[in-house]
Amino acid sequence: MKFGLIGHPVGHSLSPALHNVSFKHLGLDYEYVLFDVEKEKLGVFFDNAKKRGMLGVNVTIPNKVEVIKYLDDLSREAELIGAVNTIKFGDKLTGYNTDGIGCAQALAEAGVDIKGKRILILGAGGAARSIIFQCALDGAQISISNRKAEKKMAIDLSKDVTKKLKVECPVVDLNNKSVAKALEGSDVLIHATPVGMHPDTDASIIPADIIPENVAVMDIVYNPIETKLLAEAKKNGCTTINGVGMLVHQGAQSERIWLGVEPPVDKMRAAVENTLKSD
Ligand code: NAP
C-alpha cells in the first residue's frame, strides 16, 4: 500500500484498476488503494502516510485545493492551476497537477497537436481550469464558455489565465448561437462539464449539428465511453476523442513522477474500459 487516492467519497474510482494493472505489468510489488479522507482529516492522513513510508497519492474532490497547505513544494502547473491531483513523498512533499497534461496527451494521441490551435472549452470548473492552463502553456488559443447564470466563474478564470500567462482568453455565452459562432473559428472543442454523464446519458450540452466537420471534439466525460455529444459529432464527420484517454494519461503521468517508469498506457486503458463495460 505505497500508493493511493485520497478523496471523499472515493468509492467509484477507476484509479485502482489502472494503476494496479500497470504495477503488475512493470513487476512492481505495490498496491494502489482508496483512502476516504474528509478535508478536516488531511493533516492526520499525511502524518500517518509519512510514517508508513508511502510513496505517492492522487487527490480528488473535495481535496485538490485543500491539500496544498500540507505540501512543501508545487510544480509550475500545480501553482498556476491552484490545485493538486498528484503528490510525491520524499524528503519533502511535492504537489503536481497532471489533469491538463493528461488531456493534452490524449489529444496528441488522436493526432491533435494543440500548439497554435484555437480551442473552445465548455465548462469552467476544476477540470476545465487544469486543461485551460495546460493548453495555454502549450501555445493554444483558448476561449471559455460557461453557463450564463454562472458566467462570472468563466470571467474569473479568463482573468486569471491572462494575468498569469499574459494571453487573452475570451469568454463566450453558453447558448447555441454564441457557441456556433465561436466554433466557426475553432479547431478543437473540449467539453468539460458533467452533462451527458451516466445516468443522464441522453443529455448533451450542445446539439452536435452546430459543430463544423473540421472541429475535433473531445468529451472529458468517460462514463459512458462514447457520450451522446461524441456519437452525434462522429456522425457529422468530426474527429472525436473520449474521456478515457485523459484519465489514463493523467494516471500514467503520475507514475512517471512517482517512480520514473514508463507505464503501459494501452494496458491501463484496457483496464479502465473493461471496468466501465462491466459496471
Ligand atoms: P466541477 O469542478 O464541479 O465543474 C463542473 C463544470 O460544469 C462547471 O463549469 C459547471 O458550471 C458546469 N456544469 C455543471 N452542470 C452543468 C449543466 N447542467 N449545464 C452546463 N454546465 C454545467 O467538475 P470537474 O471536476 O471540472 O468535472 C467535470 C466533468 O469532467 C465531470 O463529469 C468529471 O467526471 C469529468 N472529469 C474527467 C476527467 C478525465 O480524466 N477524463 C478528469 C476530471 C473530470 P457552473 O459553474 O455553472 O456550475
Side-chain angles (χ1 to χ4, degrees):
M1 284 168 43
K2 296 287 183 194
F3 298 94
L5 174 71
I6 51 175
H8 179 73
V10 285
H12 291 292
S13 172
L14 293 160
S15 294
L18 72 91
H19 288 294
N20 285 327
V21 83
S22 172
F23 294 156
K24 193 170 172 201
H25 173 84
L26 294 167
L28 299 170
D29 190 17
Y30 295 136
E31 193 186 353
Y32 185 103
V33 294
L34 299 175
F35 297 101
D36 195 318
V37 186
E38 292 169 62
K39 60 182 182 182
E40 298 74 21
K41 305 268 172 61
L42 282 168
V44 176
F45 172 82
F46 283 116
D47 286 345
N48 289 335
K50 281 186 220 167
K51 280 185 208 144
R52 284 192 349 211
M54 281 201 74
L55 299 178
V57 289
N58 288 125
V59 187
T60 189
I61 290 167
N63 296 331
K64 286 185 171 188
V65 176
E66 196 67 17
V67 290
I68 291 177
K69 63 175 175 242
Y70 300 97
L71 306 179
D72 304 302
D73 213 352
L74 289 180
S75 70
R76 179 161 187 235
E77 289 83 11
E79 192 161 1
L80 285 170
I81 295 161
V84 160
N85 81 329
T86 301
I87 298 172
K88 182 175 180 172
F89 289 68
D91 297 338
K92 53 185 187 173
L93 284 183
T94 309
Y96 301 80
N97 194 311
T98 67
D99 282 332
I101 295 167
C103 176
Q105 288 176 348
L107 285 167
E109 191 177 55
V112 181
D113 174 7
I114 59 182
K115 189 172 170 32
K117 293 284 187 313
R118 298 158 303 174
I119 302 181
L120 175 64
I121 307 214
L122 306 182
R129 193 176 167 82
S130 310
I131 294 168
I132 287 166
F133 272 101
Q134 189 63 45
C135 289
L137 281 172
D138 289 349
Q141 297 170 41
I142 317 291
S143 305
I144 316 171
S145 187
N146 200 39
R147 57 184 162 182
K148 206 164 185 173
E150 304 281 347
K151 200 173 152 199
K152 187 177 174 308
M153 211 164 144
I155 292 172
D156 288 348
L157 178 51
S158 164
K159 283 185 184 157
D160 200 23
V161 174
T162 303
K163 187 172 155 208
K164 290 175 176 165
L165 295 179
K166 312 277 176 270
V167 291
E168 291 300 316
C169 190
V171 173
V172 176
D173 280 341
L174 185 44
N175 62 56
N176 292 349
K177 198 171 163 207
S178 305
V179 170
K181 191 157 184 288
L183 284 171
E184 280 170 20
S186 299
D187 304 298
V188 182
L189 171 69
I190 302 177
H191 171 236
T193 87
V195 177
M197 188 168 78
H198 180 78
D200 296 320
T201 52
D202 224 16
S204 180
I205 188 112
I206 51 165
D209 60 9
I210 65 168
I211 310 173
E213 203 179 302
N214 63 308
V215 173
V217 182
M218 178 185 219
D219 197 332
I220 72 163
V221 169
Y222 51 77
N223 187 9
I225 295 172
E226 185 173 69
T227 58
K228 183 177 179 184
L229 176 69
L230 288 189
E232 291 189 345
K234 193 190 275 176
K235 268 191 220 148
N236 287 355
C238 299
T239 297
T240 58
I241 302 122
N242 67 42
V244 173
M246 172 171 164
L247 181 70
V248 167
H249 282 288
Q250 61 78 31
Q253 189 65 17
S254 296
E255 289 190 20
R256 291 185 194 102
I257 290 167
W258 294 327
L259 294 162
V261 292
E262 190 43 47
V265 169
D266 288 344
K267 287 198 160 40
M268 294 161 88
R269 188 192 325 272
V272 169
E273 287 179 353
N274 288 339
T275 309
L276 285 169
K277 283 173 193 160
S278 67
D279 274 353

